[in-house]
Amino acid sequence: MDVIYTDACLMGGIEVAYQLKDVSDYLVFSPELTPGPGGEYQGIIERINSDYSSGKAISAAIVDANDEFWVNPPEEWSSVKAWSGKKIKADHSIRD
């Protein structure tokens, strides 16, 4: 599997990442709270349709769509990060 994305709160903990490291090339999730409405799926799909060349590109599209959508959030927004599942032993965020 190329990418696993969750928009549920607190799914980006190391225990979840470690369990999924051999299942997917990239993991995209938040280690903190996410807004109630969840991910910005319209922006995600638009970006993926324009560049779905790799798991890394798709992961970056998910992060960018959420960051852009939640610039002026109705509630406090932490972050969504993308991690290389195969390199989870170290800090390998592909987007800050």
Side-chain angles (χ1 to χ4, degrees), residues 11-92:
M11 288 298 294
I14 191 66
E15 64 280 1
V16 174
Y18 187 80
Q19 293 298 317
L20 296 174
K21 70 180 177 57
D22 296 324
V23 176
S24 180
D25 294 336
Y26 293 93
L27 311 170
V28 184
F29 41 39
S30 177
E32 297 187 27
L33 300 177
T34 58
E40 170 26 25
Y41 290 100
Q42 182 174 345
I44 291 169
I45 297 302
E46 289 171 2
R47 283 173 174 76
I48 290 172
N49 282 336
S50 69
D51 181 11
Y52 55 92
S53 59
S54 68
K56 185 174 183 177
I58 292 169
S59 298
I62 294 168
V63 172
D64 291 346
N66 280 298
D67 283 350
E68 183 179 307
F69 184 75
W70 294 107
V71 166
N72 295 307
E75 52 191 282
E76 191 170 321
W77 169 243
S78 58
S79 64
V80 169
K81 299 290 183 188
W83 304 90
S84 171
K86 295 183 180 191
K87 298 178 181 177
I88 204 65
K89 293 180 183 176
D91 183 2
H92 287 276

